[in-house]
Amino acid sequence: MTAIANRYEFVLLFDVTNGNPNGDPDAGNLPRLDPETNQGLVTDVCLKRKIRNYVALEKEEDAGYAIYMQEKSVLNNQHKKAYDALEIKPEPKKLPKDEAKARELTAWMCQNFFDVRTFGAVMTTEVNSGQVRGPVQMAFASSIDPVVPMEVSITRMAVTNERDLEKERTMGRKHIIPYGLYRAHGYISAKLAERTGFSEDDLELLWRSLVNMFEHDRSAARGEMSTRKLIVFKHDHPMGNAPAHVLFDSVKVARVEGEADTPARHYSDYRVTVDAEALPAGVSVDERL
């Protein structure tokens, strides 16, 4: 498949209601916060995980769409698949001395693992398959307004051990955000896509993943999460026609409902606008959702 020929940037808006979008293990699994502004944060790693999970569900066993970074996977074993397929004997921590074979190993990983050719990977472990810089990158998501995490006590009517039977029930706690609208920015390089083979089909799969990833990631901890908006900027030239920040600045998220200084409680409390007329020449915008 032919690699994409255009550079893209995108703005992703998603929200959470009575849930924890991304717990911080260093803070007792509290929702991540910017300590200076109290805006909520969701890491790029968290968002990429949801994309990977969606692709694994949609593509299942389809050739070329395996997931490299998955739960309980042993990375050395993933790398060894390339060596076995190409009948090359691995040397500890080293690529083959033949540069052509080394490139072939890395190319095999790109061809067979969706997330390697999309996000890239450092595969220089004991079984070395090289290093790939991926064409798709995402930044942390930040909430539009400050959020206030709540700690909620919950009751479990069952106990784990017989010695606790007289207690009849046990108590627990969970952390939630009553409501938060988050904004994330993403970048797609056509030039890096040439190196990994990231194709137009892969691009369409990425858009589907961003729109639907929360629909298949339901849990009590995450509450209600939804993708609300996906705004895609497409450049005519593979190197791009304008700086990314200029395009991002054209997307405005403003509060329109509720009294001043009161917390938002729904997506309808905001208005999202794109100043398409102010876009530089050679850049088009597509609202995918």
Side-chain angles (χ1 to χ4, degrees):
M1 289 183 287
T2 306
I4 62 170
N6 303 85
R7 197 185 100 185
Y8 295 86
E9 276 86 38
F10 60 88
V11 176
L12 175 70
L13 292 171
F14 62 90
D15 63 1
V16 58
T17 302
N18 294 328
N20 184 350
N22 188 200
D24 185 350
D26 290 330
N29 209 43
L30 278 165
R32 295 181 189 272
L33 291 177
D34 181 325
E36 292 186 334
T37 65
N38 274 352
Q39 288 175 288
L41 297 175
V42 173
T43 66
D44 59 320
V45 174
C46 175
L47 296 173
K48 288 177 180 178
R49 175 76 271 149
K50 297 180 192 305
I51 293 169
R52 288 182 170 102
N53 290 346
Y54 177 87
V55 171
L57 285 173
E58 180 180 314
K59 291 299 184 179
E60 295 189 80
E61 301 301 321
D62 288 7
Y65 291 93
I67 298 300
Y68 169 73
M69 191 68 69
Q70 58 183 305
E71 187 176 1
K72 296 182 179 179
S73 66
V74 179
L75 298 184
N76 278 332
N77 291 345
Q78 302 281 57
H79 304 168
K80 195 171 184 299
K81 292 176 182 178
Y83 281 88
D84 292 343
L86 300 173
E87 299 180 345
I88 300 172
K89 184 177 179 180
E91 294 184 38
K93 299 183 179 181
K94 294 181 180 180
L95 282 167
K97 293 180 180 179
D98 186 331
E99 290 187 10
K101 288 185 177 180
R103 287 194 298 270
E104 197 175 359
L105 283 168
T106 305
W108 190 95
M109 295 297 291
C110 289
Q111 292 163 10
N112 287 272
F113 291 99
F114 172 81
D115 51 339
V116 174
R117 67 175 176 272
T118 302
F119 304 127
V122 178
M123 301 175 288
T124 53
T125 59
E126 186 175 349
V127 180
N128 192 334
S129 289
Q131 185 170 334
V132 177
R133 188 178 176 193
V136 180
Q137 300 300 330
M138 297 185 70
F140 277 29
S142 297
S143 65
I144 302 300
D145 291 318
V147 296
V148 181
M150 294 173 55
E151 187 176 47
V152 180
S153 296
I154 55 176
T155 304
R156 185 172 69 168
M157 300 305 295
V159 295
T160 304
N161 299 301
E162 287 189 19
R163 64 176 179 270
D164 298 322
L165 193 58
E166 67 279 1
K167 296 180 181 178
E168 294 185 355
R169 65 189 68 182
T170 53
M171 303 298 293
R173 295 184 181 277
K174 64 188 301 185
H175 304 285
I176 65 168
I177 290 172
Y179 183 78
L181 177 63
Y182 288 73
R183 174 173 174 160
H185 294 168
Y187 312 82
I188 304 176
S189 166
K191 288 298 183 180
L192 292 178
E194 291 177 4
R195 301 180 186 180
T196 69
F198 183 80
S199 67
E200 292 289 346
D201 287 344
D202 293 330
L203 182 66
E204 288 301 319
L205 178 56
L206 176 67
W207 299 146
R208 292 198 299 276
S209 301
L210 291 168
V211 169
N212 296 301
M213 60 187 178
F214 298 115
E215 304 303 319
H216 302 275
D217 190 53
R218 305 295 184 190
S219 76
R222 279 181 278 279
E224 296 181 56
M225 295 188 69
S226 304
T227 297
R228 292 294 188 168
K229 206 79 171 170
L230 177 59
I231 301 166
V232 177
F233 297 100
K234 180 179 180 179
H235 299 253
D236 289 347
H237 195 279
M239 290 300 291
N241 298 78
H245 69 86
V246 173
L247 308 182
F248 294 145
D249 287 347
S250 71
V251 179
K252 307 292 185 185
V253 183
R255 184 75 180 276
V256 293
E257 297 291 342
E259 297 179 9
D261 299 323
T262 60
R265 281 294 181 265
H266 194 268
Y267 180 65
S268 60
D269 291 342
Y270 295 94
R271 179 185 293 122
V272 181
T273 57
V274 183
D275 189 359
E277 293 182 0
L279 291 178
V283 179
S284 58
V285 62
D286 180 16
E287 296 190 36
R288 308 281 297 199
L289 182 65

